[in-house]
Amino acid sequence: MLVVTTENIPGYHIDKVIGHTFGVVVRSRGLGGNITASVRSIFGGEIKEYTEMIEDARKVAIDRMIQNAHAMGANAIVMMRFDSGEIGQTMSEIVAYGTAVVAEKN
């Protein structure tokens, strides 16, 4: 499935707009990961535990968005974006969303 952040796909035309599609993930680090990350934050620099968690969450959110678009009958997603937020103080929500379309080669 084609997934782009642009409105159009070069070399394709949008034959049908199906609607919005999204994938959601909520993640939390375990107690050990939070302690390790807290210690790292004292010294500054990248907090690898959180970077890996957010990167993995974004990949899963994209996979879920694609599964939803596929179930809707789409073969492409345009205008893909991410949104994120916190739930409580220990959980992160990642949303991948876009417009599910049927695109055909020109």
Side-chain angles (χ1 to χ4, degrees):
M1 178 166 301
L2 292 169
V3 179
V4 298
T5 58
T6 56
E7 187 174 348
N8 298 303
I9 306 169
Y12 287 80
H13 67 275
I14 305 299
D15 190 46
K16 182 179 178 184
V17 175
I18 297 176
H20 68 274
T21 183
F22 62 91
V24 179
V25 178
V26 176
R27 291 274 171 98
S28 174
R29 291 224 47 93
L31 179 61
N34 282 333
I35 291 171
T36 303
S38 296
V39 171
R40 285 187 197 265
S41 70
I42 293 170
F43 301 105
E46 181 179 8
I47 314 278
K48 293 180 181 177
E49 291 80 7
Y50 286 124
T51 300
E52 290 172 6
M53 180 185 78
I54 297 299
E55 186 174 336
D56 290 344
R58 285 183 175 224
K59 289 176 182 174
V60 172
I62 289 173
D63 289 344
R64 289 181 181 172
M65 176 187 67
I66 290 172
Q67 289 173 357
N68 289 335
H70 183 72
M72 297 165 69
N75 69 352
I77 299 168
V78 296
M79 301 292 292
M80 195 282 289
R81 301 286 188 267
F82 286 109
D83 195 7
S84 62
E86 286 187 17
I87 300 174
Q89 294 184 351
T90 59
M91 295 176 277
S92 295
E93 171 196 37
I94 304 292
V95 181
Y97 64 96
T99 302
V101 300
V102 174
E104 294 186 22
K105 281 191 173 185
N106 291 329

